[in-house]
Amino acid sequence: MADTLRRLTNTSSFSVLQDKLESWHKDYHVISCDQNLNRCCELIELTAKIQGELFAILNFTAAEGGHYAGVDTLKMRLLPWLGSCFSMTRPSVSADTSLQLIQESVEKDRRIRELSTSHDNDMQKMETQLCSTRMQLDSVRAELVDAQKELDETKSKSATTLLATEDEILQLKADLRSAHEQVEIYKRKMDALDDYERQIRLLRDEVSYLSTEKAMLQERYSYNTQCSCVITAYAHIDTTIQSSVLMMYFSSVSSRFLSSRLVRSRSPSPLPRLSRSSSPMRSESPTRAQLTNSSRHARLVSRFSDLYAVERLEAQTLLRRYITDLEMVQKIIFIAVVESFKTAKLAYRQFKLRVRKTLSPSHFGPESLEDAAVDYIVRNLDLYDVQDSVNDVINAMNVNPRISFPPEVDFVLISSLIRETCRVAFAMQTLDPPLDLAFASDGELYNENKYRRSYDSEFTAPLVMYHVWPALVEGNAVLVKGEAVTRRGALWSRSRSRSRSTSPVRSRSLSPTRSLAFNSKRHLSPERLTASYL
């Protein structure tokens, strides 16, 4: 018995049984039904072998104890256990119910078999479709590879074509650039040719004028020679007879001289032949005023800024010696600039009318009379009588009720500022379009686009108290900002200052500087615009 128990212990049968149970539990849902049954039967067989070994040990143990040893244990434990295991239990259902359960089980088995068959058929169909899909996928992949190859070939061909096209485009651009350069060269040559023709016409006119003047001088010389000969011939005659004869002779000679001069002046001079300017395809050559418009525009705008930075401060320093009120000084300078622009514009219009009137009888050429007049003014800006404009500005300021001045001095102190402003304003009228000052009035709404506030302004005030410097505009565009003083209650303080003013216009006859008479006034009359200026 001890050997059997030792062998059973060494074989570790229960450990093998436990391992098989765990392995079966893991693979129960994976393996098939037959495999599960086989594993169950294997475990039963192993259990039966172990039970046989145990029953053999039980027999040997009972035999070693004799006839009465272990009887109570067998009666109390083995026999009841064997009775409970091998006894037949009574069924809990009737015969009909068991038959119905058997039928249902058969029906379920049949359905399970049908479902298994349909599942197998569906699996076969899906496998067939999967195979066909795989074949289609392979064909699509092959087509994709072919399309990729074709795309690569097309890209290589397009790159080659693009390089060739870019080379052609560069060559065409170079040809176009050279053609434009040649066209510009030809245009400059044609413009130079037109300028040469114009100069030739002017030279011909000058030659004809000089020839006419030469003929007149020759006639005058011959006339003087004849007069001296007649005086010598009649020197021995009585004085009364001599004077009468000389008067008759001089009258006849002078009548012939005047008639010949009138005939020459009335005889039309032959116009020069225009070979290229008569072509309708040729454009008019620009005048000097048109060619220098942009440069003069920039120079005059810069000069206007210099007036604010230099001449205005100098005039302000001079006025502060006699006037302690800074506001009044700034108002005087502002009104002087505005009046200078008004006077200069009026002088420009009058000067232009005189030039047009003088040029109209003898004007001919590709440019219009207006362009010719402006071009003449641009070339002869020094003919502008700026002193006359300065006097007009000072006279206008003397009767201006908005400003006052001590009686011992005069506005001639700021004549330098007025003179330079008139010159700049006069030159600005020759631009196309002309430049002008923006309209300004005390008490107007402050505009940041036109003005900037002075250092002593109230920056939250919406109204302008007074202006320090006007704004320069070109049409509606502001070129140079002005300067203004903004304070609250501007309209009320302005009306109060007007109501308190008791001397609207003062006489300046007591001013000691009135003796500085402006004897250098030069009125530009039409007689001065002779051919020597033109």
Side-chain angles (χ1 to χ4, degrees), residues 183-200:
V183 169
E184 291 296 331
I185 291 172
Y186 290 149
K187 283 183 178 180
R188 287 196 294 268
K189 289 182 178 179
M190 295 300 292
D191 294 338
L193 184 60
D194 291 340
D195 294 336
Y196 293 154
E197 290 180 354
R198 181 181 176 185
Q199 292 178 4
I200 289 172

Side-chain angles (χ1 to χ4, degrees), residues 9 103 115 120 143 186 262 339 342 355-356 414 487:
T9 304
Q103 290 178 356
L115 290 173
D120 293 337
E143 292 178 356
Y186 290 149
L262 288 175
E339 292 294 338
K342 291 181 181 179
V355 172
R356 285 173 58 91
I414 57 173
R487 290 174 187 166

Side-chain angles (χ1 to χ4, degrees), residues 327-488:
E327 177 181 347
M328 182 56 63
V329 171
Q330 292 176 345
K331 285 184 178 180
I332 290 173
I333 294 176
F334 175 78
I335 292 175
V337 173
V338 174
E339 292 294 338
S340 298
F341 263 80
K342 291 181 181 179
T343 307
K345 288 192 293 184
L346 180 60
Y348 175 78
R349 287 194 293 268
Q350 295 175 355
F351 187 71
K352 189 176 180 181
L353 288 175
R354 290 196 294 269
V355 172
R356 285 173 58 91
K357 183 177 179 181
T358 307
L359 291 178
S360 57
S362 60
H363 173 71
F364 65 92
E367 71 277 358
S368 62
L369 180 60
E370 183 74 17
D371 294 339
V374 174
D375 186 62
Y376 175 81
I377 296 173
V378 170
R379 293 173 182 268
N380 300 277
L381 288 175
D382 55 341
L383 297 179
Y384 167 49
D385 192 1
V386 65
Q387 189 59 50
D388 190 21
S389 298
V390 171
N391 296 335
D392 293 339
V393 172
I394 293 176
N395 293 333
M397 294 176 65
N398 286 332
V399 296
N400 195 321
R402 294 174 55 193
I403 55 178
S404 60
F405 210 62
E408 64 272 6
V409 291
D410 201 348
F411 287 123
V412 73
L413 285 174
I414 57 173
S415 60
S416 177
L417 173 65
I418 298 173
R419 182 179 295 102
E420 294 300 324
T421 306
C422 289
R423 286 176 178 171
V424 172
F426 188 86
M428 284 181 178
Q429 305 310 308
T430 61
L431 298 176
D432 186 21
L435 305 183
D436 200 357
L437 299 181
F439 176 76
S441 63
D442 294 344
E444 65 176 344
L445 188 64
Y446 175 73
N447 188 356
E448 292 183 354
N449 297 325
K450 292 169 57 177
Y451 302 102
R452 58 176 175 271
R453 302 177 193 266
S454 61
Y455 69 94
D456 56 346
S457 298
E458 295 181 5
F459 289 88
T460 58
L463 300 179
V464 176
M465 183 72 177
Y466 64 91
H467 298 81
V468 177
W469 191 258
L472 185 65
V473 295
E474 182 180 4
N476 294 327
V478 178
L479 299 180
V480 180
K481 284 186 177 182
E483 184 177 348
V485 177
T486 57
R487 290 174 187 166
R488 294 189 177 276

Side-chain angles (χ1 to χ4, degrees), residues 108-147:
K108 288 181 179 180
D109 292 339
R110 185 181 62 80
R111 289 181 181 177
I112 289 171
R113 286 194 299 270
E114 289 178 356
L115 290 173
S116 177
T117 304
S118 63
H119 178 69
D120 293 337
N121 293 332
D122 292 339
M123 289 296 293
Q124 290 179 357
K125 289 180 181 179
M126 291 179 66
E127 288 179 356
T128 305
Q129 292 179 357
L130 181 62
C131 292
S132 62
T133 305
R134 287 177 178 174
M135 293 175 65
Q136 292 178 359
L137 181 61
D138 293 336
S139 63
V140 170
R141 285 179 178 175
E143 292 178 356
L144 182 61
V145 171
D146 296 337

